[in-house]
């Protein structure tokens, strides 16, 4: 019997590893996750955060497809979604009225990549290659 490659576990671990690499204190984040708490990740160095209504974001995801938008975190109890965008994002999305661009240093409270915590869940999981996505695609659907 031949062995087959199983990329899914590696990809999930790579997403977790990447997310933890964005933390100021990765060990503290793991401890919080083990206690079913959210980890705190400041925006700016590794990503920018765009906030939008969850319902509007789900429509957008349908339009652009899951493999092309980058990480998207949702808070299902509050009806909010956060899109992680490249840290080099300038003012290209400033005129889009249906979103809020969070400032550098704003803290995003995240669950682990693989399971939800306190109503927050990754709609599109982090992936070390996520910056392949273009913020222009997001702007076009909003």
């Amino acid at each position: 019997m031949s062995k087959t490659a199983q990329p899914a576990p590696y990809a999930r671990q790579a997403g977790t590893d990447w997310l933890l690499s964005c933390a100021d204190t990765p060990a503290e984040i793991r401890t919080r996750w083990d206690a079913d708490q959210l980890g705190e990740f400041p925006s700016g160095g590794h990503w920018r955060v765009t906030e939008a209504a969850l319902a509007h974001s789900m429509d957008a995801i349908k339009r652009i497809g899951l493999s092309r938008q980058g990480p998207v975190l949702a808070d299902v109890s509050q009806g909010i979604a956060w899109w992680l965008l490249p840290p080099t994002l300038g003012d290209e999305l400033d005129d889009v009225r249906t979103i809020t661009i969070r400032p550098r240093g704003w803290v995003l409270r995240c669950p682990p990549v693989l399971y939800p915590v306190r109503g927050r869940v990754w709609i599109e999981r982090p992936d070390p290659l996520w910056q392949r996505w273009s913020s222009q695609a997001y702007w076009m659907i909003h």
Side-chain angles (χ1 to χ4, degrees):
M1 179 191 295
S2 66
K3 291 185 177 183
T4 59
Q6 295 184 357
Y10 169 76
R12 289 191 303 258
Q13 184 61 45
T16 296
D17 292 346
W18 177 82
L19 186 59
L20 286 169
S21 76
C22 299
D24 292 337
T25 55
E28 182 180 318
I29 299 294
R30 281 194 185 275
T31 300
R32 292 183 65 82
W33 286 346
D34 289 345
D36 281 335
Q37 296 178 1
L38 299 167
E40 295 184 352
F41 293 83
S43 66
H46 298 277
W47 65 60
R48 295 289 306 273
V49 177
T50 301
E51 184 175 300
L54 179 57
H56 194 73
S57 293
M58 295 305 293
D59 289 342
I61 288 169
K62 283 184 205 175
R63 282 186 232 140
I64 62 177
L66 277 176
S67 64
R68 297 191 321 224
Q69 79 273 343
V72 180
L73 176 64
D75 187 313
V76 296
S77 60
Q78 294 184 30
I80 298 171
W82 297 276
W83 296 62
L84 305 188
L85 300 177
T88 56
L89 178 71
D91 60 0
E92 341 30 344
L93 300 178
D94 286 353
D95 294 335
V96 182
R97 297 176 196 225
T98 58
I99 63 173
T100 301
I101 309 278
R102 294 297 179 185
R104 293 179 193 279
W106 185 81
V107 175
L108 182 62
R109 299 180 71 221
C110 303
V113 172
L114 300 179
Y115 59 91
V117 171
R118 299 181 186 242
R120 293 196 180 184
V121 62
W122 289 100
I123 297 171
E124 176 67 7
R125 293 177 176 158
D127 162 347
L129 303 176
W130 73 275
Q131 291 185 7
R132 66 186 178 271
W133 177 81
S134 165
S135 61
Q136 291 176 348
Y138 186 67
W139 179 83
M140 288 188 304
I141 51 91
H142 284 79

